[in-house]
């Protein structure tokens, strides 16, 4: 195991079998987490980037078996913020120092690309980075959003096991999800993806494939979270994903993609009171506090008992482990300028 961890640190490469072997063996977990922490420090630095998360609509056309806001859950009270409400939350977040605004929603086609583009353009006037997390759209729609100034896009692949994917996402197409991710990369978005840990039937090999997919896509951000069963979903009786396994997937992702941004996800904190800090010491360098008003927050329940971020507590805990809160936008590699298509060509 130690040799495999060393190989991952020095080459940023492991085979599928090697990744699966590390995931399946618990004898060197502390060494793995420490190695990921060192690589994080070397490639992403000690700054932690905060992203202000605005959950602007919980309407969703999808029926993901695990998700609390799935279309089929009639017990959810649906809401949509209007343009002014969204912009005012973004202004508040920017005024309190956030350098990135994340606009997240269910797959709500009420918001056309044009309508969202107007909101993005308005928020971009605040000199912040804008991340979208709104699900699957066409290349043309993504282009409208990119042209409006959106910098980043989050769309988890959830699992790269096609048959498991199709079981978890009724009527959804695995191929289309991949298409979306490659379109986003092509358009120059910093592209985030990621997976759920603890989906039924998921194997170590399948998680290894997820990590290799992140590398193949050259993802700029990776969100990894354990599954947390929601009582109003078909997966209500499943057991929750394993936090240690999720941390191991995170740590291996850091070793294989050293300079990317990796959030300490809320799902980890929900499973363990120190989950966020554990993630930040196992390869993560981003935290995404939810700035949605409480009234709506409670309705955006993708899983139960979602943890909150207390700013004072977080900054104190970060200080104790030698980390600081970044005042930069925090693009990949901790630069303050997004990698544009031009700068890619400049290098050629
Ligand atoms: N438990 C944990 N994570 C979940 N997500 C959705 N439902 C759950 C759940 N029950 C995650 C998905 C999605 C992200 C926004 O939230 O991975 O991409």
């Amino acid at each position: 195991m130690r040799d495999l961890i060393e190989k991952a640190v020095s080459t940023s490469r492991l085979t599928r079998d090697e990744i699966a072997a590390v995931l399946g063996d618990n004898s060197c977990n502390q060494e793995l987490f420490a190695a990921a922490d060192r690589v994080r420090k070397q490639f992403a630095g000690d700054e932690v980037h905060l992203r202000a998360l605005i959950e602007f609509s919980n309407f969703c056309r999808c029926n993901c078996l695990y998700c609390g806001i799935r279309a089929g859950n009639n017990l959810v009270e649906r809401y949509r913020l209007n343009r002014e409400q969204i912009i005012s939350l973004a202004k508040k977040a920017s005024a309190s120092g956030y350098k990135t605004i994340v606009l997240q929603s269910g797959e709500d086609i009420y918001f056309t690309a044009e309508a969202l583009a107007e909101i993005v353009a308005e928020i971009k006037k605040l000199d912040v980075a804008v991340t979208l997390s709104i699900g699957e759209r066409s290349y043309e729609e993504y282009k409208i959003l990119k042209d409006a100034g959106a910098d980043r896009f989050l769309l988890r692949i959830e699992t790269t096991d096609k048959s498991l994917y199709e079981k978890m996402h009724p009527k959804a197409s695995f191929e289309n999800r991949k298409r979306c991710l490659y379109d986003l990369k092509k358009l120059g978005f910093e592209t985030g993806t990621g997976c759920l840990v603890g989906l039924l039937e998921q194997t170590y090999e399948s998680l290894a494939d997820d990590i290799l997919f992140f590398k193949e896509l050259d993802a700029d951000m990776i969100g990894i979270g354990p599954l947390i069963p929601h009582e109003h979903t078909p997966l209500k009786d499943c057991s929750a994903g394993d936090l240690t396994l999720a941390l191991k997937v995170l740590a291996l992702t850091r070793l294989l993609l050293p300079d990317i941004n990796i959030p300490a996800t809320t799902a980890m904190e929900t499973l363990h009171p120190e989950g966020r800090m554990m993630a930040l010491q196992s390869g993560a360098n981003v935290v995404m506090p939810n700035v949605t008003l409480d009234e709506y927050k409670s309705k955006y329940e993708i899983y139960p008992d979602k943890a909150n971020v207390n700013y004072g507590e977080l900054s104190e805990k970060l200080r104790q482990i030698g980390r600081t809160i970044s005042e930069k936008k925090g693009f990949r590699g901790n630069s303050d300028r997004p990698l544009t298509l031009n700068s890619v060509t400049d290098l050629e």
Side-chain angles (χ1 to χ4, degrees):
M1 281 307 129
R2 291 206 172 86
D3 290 349
L4 289 181
I5 294 169
E6 193 36 54
K7 178 183 171 195
V9 170
S10 53
T11 67
S12 308
R13 280 181 195 282
L14 287 179
T15 65
R16 179 183 197 244
D17 288 347
E18 289 169 338
I19 298 171
V22 175
L23 291 174
D25 181 297
N26 282 320
S27 65
C28 288
N29 289 353
Q30 292 319 313
E31 285 91 334
L32 173 64
F33 299 146
D37 197 44
R38 280 198 308 278
V39 168
R40 182 272 311 153
K41 187 179 172 75
Q42 186 186 344
F43 288 86
D46 280 333
E47 290 185 328
V48 172
H49 302 287
L50 300 188
R51 322 290 202 198
L53 178 68
I54 300 177
E55 296 161 337
F56 67 92
S57 163
N58 69 353
F59 280 83
C60 193
R61 62 178 167 178
C62 300
N63 246 322
C64 312
L65 257 48
Y66 44 80
C67 183
I69 63 166
R70 64 201 301 273
N73 182 3
N74 299 321
L75 298 168
V76 184
E77 204 183 310
R78 303 285 167 173
Y79 73 88
R80 267 186 198 113
L81 304 191
N82 63 35
R83 179 197 142 97
E84 284 65 39
Q85 288 173 305
I86 300 170
I87 293 168
S88 124
L89 277 176
K91 283 187 176 155
K92 236 171 73 183
S94 155
S96 41
Y98 286 101
K99 294 286 182 270
T100 293
I101 308 294
V102 184
L103 300 180
Q104 186 171 79
S105 68
E107 284 205 7
D108 182 4
I109 47 174
Y110 168 90
F111 284 95
T112 60
E114 289 78 7
L116 285 170
E118 273 186 40
I119 296 170
V120 168
E122 202 54 39
I123 296 177
K124 281 301 288 181
K125 293 182 187 159
L126 303 168
D127 186 29
V128 289
V130 172
T131 305
L132 296 171
S133 175
I134 57 165
E136 297 178 23
R137 300 270 177 138
S138 66
Y139 180 90
E140 290 69 29
E141 290 172 290
Y142 286 151
K143 180 161 183 352
I144 291 170
L145 295 164
K146 187 77 190 64
D147 291 343
D151 302 275
R152 310 187 185 121
F153 202 105
L154 306 175
L155 184 74
R156 289 190 185 171
I157 190 77
E158 315 294 2
T159 172
T160 49
D161 175 334
K162 187 169 171 354
S163 89
L164 181 59
Y165 184 91
E166 282 165 1
K167 230 174 264 177
M168 290 294 126
H169 308 98
K171 298 205 183 112
S173 150
F174 179 64
E175 302 311 326
N176 193 53
R177 195 141 188 109
K178 283 217 287 205
R179 190 272 306 157
C180 288
L181 286 165
Y182 282 98
D183 280 354
L184 290 163
K185 272 301 272 194
K186 204 184 305 168
L187 283 162
F189 281 98
E190 274 205 339
T191 303
T193 187
C195 62
L196 280 165
V197 175
L199 292 172
L200 31 145
E201 296 166 37
Q202 198 175 36
T203 58
Y204 296 132
E205 284 74 19
S206 157
L207 289 166
D209 286 335
D210 295 350
I211 299 174
L212 291 173
F213 172 73
F214 305 156
K215 214 169 151 61
E216 179 192 305
L217 175 70
D218 190 24
D220 303 291
M221 305 170 282
I222 293 295
I224 292 151
L227 174 82
I228 301 174
H230 186 293
E231 64 167 329
H232 301 135
T233 66
L235 297 195
K236 62 179 188 306
D237 296 323
C238 289
S239 36
D242 182 73
L243 178 62
T244 304
L245 182 58
L247 288 168
K248 291 176 72 176
V249 176
L250 191 164
L252 281 163
T253 300
R254 170 62 71 196
L255 297 185
L256 300 200
L257 292 102
D259 65 341
I260 65 166
N261 282 318
I262 304 184
T265 56
T266 301
M268 293 195 179
E269 182 86 347
T270 300
L271 281 191
H272 188 291
E274 289 301 322
R276 201 180 329 266
M277 295 312 287
M278 290 157 89
L280 286 167
Q281 293 173 94
S282 308
N285 69 323
V286 168
V287 174
M288 297 171 67
N290 189 336
V291 301
T292 318
L293 299 178
D294 288 342
E295 173 191 0
Y296 300 112
K297 239 189 232 176
S298 58
K299 296 184 181 131
Y300 201 92
E301 197 188 61
I302 45 188
Y303 50 83
D305 304 319
K306 268 165 61 189
N308 274 314
V309 178
N310 175 315
Y311 185 87
E313 202 179 294
L314 177 72
S315 55
E316 176 53 23
K317 281 187 185 168
L318 289 178
R319 200 189 56 75
Q320 286 170 9
I321 59 165
R323 310 280 282 276
T324 56
I325 291 181
S326 169
E327 292 178 2
K328 296 192 291 195
K329 295 192 183 95
F331 288 94
R332 180 176 185 177
N334 197 15
S335 76
D336 213 21
R337 225 157 34 90
L339 189 65
T340 62
L341 290 175
N342 284 342
S343 63
V344 172
T345 11
D346 288 348
L347 294 172
E348 285 170 1

